[in-house]
């Protein structure tokens, strides 16, 4: 009798062993092989961006006129450019800048998006109306246009570019957060929280935003590479970070001028850029599947 | 329908007003002064003081002597008639003339890219749908994913390398002959090819499972009868919602490709104007691009509504 009872108990604890939300997500995410590989690749990139500048024997301002246009060799792993600068070092600094802009602009965008979306969705009425018409306008306009104007006005440092990209790309996030707020607002436990006397701010911060983490993370994982592409695009047309600070777009523009004779000068930055963007996209796909298994095809 | 059209046009006008206002305020708060920068750059002098008469005459020519709100109203009134006046960089011509000369180049690139994308993307999507879950399908999905993820200027670099440098099929630089269109158009088309393929595949896979398609097969219809006549017809109409925004995006997206290939389109002029802080040109072109993008999206929605009565009902175009 006692033995039986113990058996049942063990079986039960085994079955109801609670899995955290995170481990469920990770379990679903792991199913997407490309996403997992890409995630490790991104972690590798972040490590390279931090460690690379510390261990590289070169600096992005170091010119060497005895070593112009070198193809990859033992001293310069990716060769050198038209100023004899070490291409690998330039690409590592470009990577660092791309990551700073990507994640930084993502933060700005999430902050503004949550602020506008939560206020509009939660307060509703006339406030919602006005804010959403503004979002409509921001949405109807290609963000590149305002971005370009903002960069011209604010200047061309890494921080202002990051800010400009963040300031022009939050419209989608605001819409998403507003939608989430409208859904969550109707749930019963929000009514309960209200009845208990929770303030608007508490409800938004404690209940609404945690409920929107999934969709926000997914949107963000697609917007980070978007911000990187915008940064590179601005550099490509001569409006990115001020030289000699390297940016992948600038390296591509510079390398493409020498492409006929020294294709390595453009292929390395373009290849690194392409791989990074693809890695973020694959992780985004994996996250979308993990947060919403129904939606994936 | 009429009510919907009026409402949409109203929104576009209000949106354009706000875009002009935001751009104007931003530009007014920008540092620098074109006369001084120009002098600094062209004459390599450190003393940038300009004779007061010259400065006054210059400010008068660009209405800069008037208060800001008057300048804005003048801009709005002129912009409504498609007049932007002279730019800082090109004082002898007007901005609208530059737009009229250079925009057709950008627009042609965008339209050719979309055309090519349709020609390649639709059959590719159909093949992927029929070969669902085979290696062909996997490759098509992977390619369309790469195409939609990577920016067109990165595509351009790889295309130049493969088609011009390795295979010597097309020239990598130059402008003016038809062959010079090949690389820019291809680089612009790859993104839309990706989205069209992906859309066509998803749409056909869904349609092919419908009962009326199975009935059509059962009745002995061949590929031409079933797929071309029944299945495709239902997939092609919503395709316009995929293609429309792509076209709108591309008219601005050519900026990067034009700069990479040195094509004298509006995008190239726009970027140059921004680098040289040619504010009237930046302002005029921004508003012009915004107008084009919004009009394209508007026209697409109208066409979609005309083609598909269900959408017309849902989006309150009627009633």
């Amino acid at each position: 009798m006692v033995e039986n009872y113990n058996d049942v108990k063990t079986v039960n604890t085994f079955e109801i062993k609670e899995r955290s939300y995170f481990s469920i997500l990770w379990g679903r995410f792991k199913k997407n092989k490309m996403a997992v590989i890409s995630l490790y690749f991104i972690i590798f990139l972040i490590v390279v961006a931090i460690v690379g500048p510390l261990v590289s024997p070169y600096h992005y301002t170091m010119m060497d006129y005895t070593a112009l246009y070198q193809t990859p060799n033992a001293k310069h792993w990716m060769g050198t450019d038209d100023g004899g600068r070490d291409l690998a070092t330039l690409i590592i600094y470009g990577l660092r800048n791309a990551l700073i802009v990507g994640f930084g602009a993502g933060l700005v965008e999430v902050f503004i998006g949550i602020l506008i979306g939560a206020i509009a969705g939660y307060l509703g009425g006339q406030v919602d109306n006005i804010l959403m018409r503004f979002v409509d306008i921001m949405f109807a306009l290609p963000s590149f246009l305002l971005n370009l104007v903002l960069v011209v006005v604010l200047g061309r440092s890494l921080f202002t570019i990051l800010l400009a990209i963040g300031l022009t790309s939050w419209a989608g996030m605001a819409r998403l957060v507003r939608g989430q707020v409208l859904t969550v607002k109707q749930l019963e436990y929000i009514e309960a929280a209200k009845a208990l006397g929770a303030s608007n701010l508490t409800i938004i911060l404690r209940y609404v935003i945690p409920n929107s983490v999934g969709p926000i993370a997914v949107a963000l994982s697609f917007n980070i590479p978007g911000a990187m592409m915008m940064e590179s695009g601005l550099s490509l047309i001569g409006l990115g970070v001020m030289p000699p600070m390297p940016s992948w777009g600038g390296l591509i523009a510079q390398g493409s001028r020498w492409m006929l004779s020294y294709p390595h000068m453009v292929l390395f930055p373009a290849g690194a850029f392409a791989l990074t963007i693809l890695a973020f996209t694959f992780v985004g796909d994996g996250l979308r599947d993990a947060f919403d298994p129904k939606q994936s095809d | 329908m009429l009510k919907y059209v009026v409402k949409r046009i109203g929104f576009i006008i209000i949106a354009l007003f706000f875009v002009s206002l935001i751009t104007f305020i931003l530009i007014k708060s920008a540092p620098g002064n074109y006369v001084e920068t120009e002098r600094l750059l062209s004459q390599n002098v450190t003393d940038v003081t300009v004779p007061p008469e010259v400065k006054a005459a210059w400010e008068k020519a660009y209405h800069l002597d008037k208060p800001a709100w008057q300048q804005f109203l003048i801009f709005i009134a002129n912009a409504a008639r498609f007049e932007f006046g002279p730019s800082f960089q090109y004082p002898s011509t007007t901005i609208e003339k530059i737009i009229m000369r250079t925009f057709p180049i950008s627009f042609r690139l965008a339209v050719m890219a979309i055309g090519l994308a349709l020609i390649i993307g639709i059959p590719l999507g159909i093949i992927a749908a029929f070969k669902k879950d085979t290696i062909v399908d996997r490759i098509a999905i992977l390619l369309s994913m790469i195409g939609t993820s990577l920016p067109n200027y990165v595509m351009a670099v790889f295309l130049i390398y493969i088609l011009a440098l390795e295979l010597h099929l097309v020239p990598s630089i130059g402008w003016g002959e038809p062959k010079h269109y090949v690389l820019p158009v291809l680089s612009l088309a790859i993104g839309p090819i990706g989205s069209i393929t992906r859309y066509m595949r998803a749409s056909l896979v869904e349609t092919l499972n419908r009962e009326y398609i199975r009935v059509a097969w059962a009745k002995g219809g061949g590929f031409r009868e079933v797929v071309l006549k029944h299945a495709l017809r239902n997939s092609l109409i919503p395709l316009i919602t995929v293609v429309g925004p792509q076209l709108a995006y591309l008219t601005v997206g050519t900026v990067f490709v034009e700069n990479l290939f040195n094509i004298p389109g509006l995008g190239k002029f726009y970027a140059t104007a921004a680098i040289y802080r040619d504010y009237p040109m930046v302002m005029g072109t921004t508003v012009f691009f915004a107008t084009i993008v919004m009009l394209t999206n508007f026209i697409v929605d109208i066409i979609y509504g005309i083609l598909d009565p269900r959408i017309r009902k849902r989006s309150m175009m009627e009633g």
Side-chain angles (χ1 to χ4, degrees):
Chain A
M1 213 33 207
V2 174
E3 262 179 29
N4 275 350
Y5 174 74
N6 272 346
D7 276 355
V8 170
K9 201 182 166 194
T10 11
V11 169
N12 269 353
T13 35
F14 175 71
E15 273 181 350
I16 59 166
K17 185 190 165 200
E18 227 180 281
R19 292 175 68 197
S20 72
Y21 184 50
F22 181 78
S23 84
I24 295 174
L25 283 181
W26 177 243
R28 291 197 207 128
F29 184 83
K30 258 195 324 201
K31 280 188 201 141
N32 189 334
K33 289 275 174 331
M34 285 306 276
V36 176
I37 296 170
S38 299
L39 183 66
Y40 288 131
F41 182 63
I42 290 173
I43 294 170
F44 166 74
L45 288 179
I46 294 172
V47 172
V48 168
I50 295 169
V51 178
L54 301 176
V55 298
S56 168
Y58 307 98
H59 188 255
Y60 63 83
T61 52
M62 267 170 63
M63 313 262 257
D64 180 0
Y65 287 106
T66 60
L68 305 178
Y69 312 112
Q70 285 192 359
T71 45
N73 55 53
K75 261 183 89 183
H76 301 283
W77 291 356
M78 293 184 180
T80 57
D81 73 352
D82 51 335
R85 301 190 292 172
D86 181 55
L87 205 54
T89 306
L90 292 177
I91 289 176
I92 290 172
Y93 275 96
L95 166 68
R96 195 194 66 177
N97 294 344
L99 289 174
I100 292 174
V101 169
F103 284 101
L107 270 182
V108 175
E109 179 191 324
V110 166
F111 180 75
I112 304 178
I114 288 182
L115 194 72
I116 304 258
I119 292 176
Y122 196 80
L123 295 182
Q126 210 51 40
V127 180
D128 181 28
N129 237 329
I130 292 169
L131 285 177
M132 280 303 114
R133 290 299 82 74
F134 185 54
V135 169
D136 283 347
I137 292 174
M138 290 296 287
F139 208 77
L141 199 74
S143 54
F144 169 71
L145 295 178
L146 271 187
N147 234 312
L148 182 133
V149 176
L150 268 175
V151 168
V152 170
V153 172
L154 294 176
R156 288 162 53 187
S157 77
L158 208 52
F159 178 71
T160 52
I161 287 172
L162 172 165
L163 197 67
I165 295 174
L167 282 175
T168 51
S169 54
W170 50 267
M173 193 64 83
R175 264 191 195 174
L176 189 147
V177 172
R178 175 178 173 271
Q180 289 288 316
V181 171
L182 289 181
T183 322
V184 175
K185 209 166 87 171
Q186 294 166 344
L187 299 177
E188 277 170 359
Y189 70 87
I190 299 291
E191 295 244 335
K194 259 191 204 161
L196 287 170
S199 71
N200 284 348
L201 193 68
T202 319
I203 290 177
I204 290 178
L205 289 181
R206 293 273 312 269
Y207 304 108
V208 174
I209 291 173
N211 261 300
S212 320
V213 163
I216 290 176
V218 174
L220 195 59
S221 63
F222 289 107
N223 290 347
I224 287 174
M228 289 175 167
M229 287 192 266
M230 187 63 83
E231 185 264 335
S232 284
L234 286 169
S235 284
L236 185 92
I237 61 175
L239 283 165
V241 282
M242 282 286 193
M245 179 66 95
S247 153
W248 281 351
L251 291 177
I252 290 173
Q254 180 201 13
S256 69
R257 283 196 280 278
W258 300 98
M259 200 163 174
L260 291 175
S261 5
Y262 307 104
H264 75 276
M265 269 176 65
V266 69
L267 288 181
F268 278 118
F273 186 39
L275 284 179
T276 308
I277 298 294
L278 284 178
F280 273 98
T281 314
F282 281 124
V283 169
D285 277 349
L287 276 183
R288 192 187 50 204
D289 295 352
F291 276 112
D292 192 358
K294 276 171 289 177
Q295 229 184 26
S296 64
D297 47 313
Chain B
M1 187 76 180
L2 188 69
K3 206 174 147 196
Y4 173 79
V5 171
V6 170
K7 220 172 144 187
R8 277 293 296 267
I9 292 177
F11 172 75
I12 291 176
I13 291 171
I14 294 169
L16 285 177
F17 178 82
F18 273 100
V19 169
S20 312
L21 187 64
I22 293 170
T23 318
F24 183 81
I25 293 172
L26 285 175
I27 282 178
K28 278 292 137 192
S29 52
N33 174 324
Y34 185 78
V35 182
E36 290 168 3
T37 335
E38 183 67 351
R39 223 172 115 81
L40 204 67
L41 288 175
S42 61
Q43 298 172 11
N44 203 13
V45 287
T46 40
D47 173 28
V48 290
T49 47
V50 184
E53 309 88 61
V54 174
K55 208 174 168 193
W58 183 79
E59 282 182 341
K60 200 167 181 325
Y62 291 99
H63 304 295
L64 293 175
D65 51 342
K66 298 189 178 68
W69 63 271
Q70 268 187 26
Q71 288 177 38
F72 181 65
L73 289 185
I74 291 172
F75 173 83
I76 288 288
N78 286 338
R81 285 174 285 151
F82 191 54
E83 280 173 19
F84 298 108
S87 87
F88 287 167
Q89 272 179 294
Y90 312 99
S92 56
T93 180
T94 58
I95 293 166
E96 61 268 20
K97 274 188 190 148
I98 296 176
I99 292 177
M100 289 304 284
R101 197 178 70 232
T102 57
F103 179 65
I105 297 174
S106 309
F107 191 66
R108 205 179 306 141
L109 281 175
V111 170
M112 283 165 79
I114 289 289
L116 185 69
L118 285 170
I119 294 170
I120 298 178
I122 294 176
L124 208 60
I126 297 175
I127 294 170
F130 273 93
K131 305 264 177 195
K132 189 170 177 275
D133 296 329
T134 65
I135 186 80
V136 181
D137 181 34
R138 292 275 160 90
I139 292 173
I141 290 178
L142 188 71
L143 284 182
S144 73
M145 180 164 179
I146 293 175
T148 43
S149 320
L150 294 184
N152 51 35
Y153 49 87
V154 171
M155 281 300 171
V157 165
F158 294 135
L159 286 172
I160 298 175
Y161 183 71
I162 296 169
L163 296 182
L165 295 187
E166 291 293 321
L167 301 176
H168 302 287
L169 291 175
V170 277
S172 62
I173 41 167
W175 188 246
E177 289 169 57
K179 63 182 178 189
H180 294 133
Y181 274 92
V182 176
L183 283 175
V185 168
L186 258 182
S187 351
L188 288 173
I190 286 188
I193 288 175
S195 11
I196 292 170
T197 306
R198 199 187 275 184
Y199 164 77
M200 281 308 291
R201 178 188 172 276
S203 164
L204 262 185
V205 164
E206 200 199 322
T207 316
L208 289 176
N209 283 328
R210 291 276 178 82
E211 276 174 5
Y212 73 95
I213 296 294
R214 265 185 278 161
V215 171
W217 287 120
K219 280 166 74 182
F223 178 84
R224 185 189 293 260
E225 171 83 10
V226 179
V227 176
L228 297 189
K229 214 175 141 196
H230 293 293
L232 265 189
R233 187 178 284 187
N234 274 314
S235 302
L236 286 179
I237 292 177
L239 185 63
I240 195 173
T241 55
V242 179
V243 173
Q246 293 273 359
L247 182 64
Y249 167 75
L250 270 192
T251 49
V252 182
T254 55
V255 171
F256 308 115
V257 166
E258 282 173 22
N259 274 276
L260 202 62
F261 287 96
N262 244 322
I263 298 169
L266 184 54
K268 174 89 184 151
F269 277 77
Y270 186 44
T272 316
I275 292 170
Y276 286 100
R277 294 175 176 273
D278 183 347
Y279 293 139
M281 181 77 187
V282 170
M283 178 99 194
T285 318
T286 303
V287 174
F288 177 76
F289 269 138
T291 315
I292 292 293
V293 168
M294 286 193 208
L295 278 183
T296 312
N297 283 330
F298 169 63
I299 292 168
V300 165
D301 284 352
I302 295 293
I303 294 175
Y304 192 35
I306 291 169
L307 291 178
D308 193 336
R310 285 171 305 179
I311 299 300
R312 201 153 66 219
K313 274 272 187 301
R314 215 175 304 150
S315 64
M316 323 244 280
M317 284 185 191
E318 279 173 357

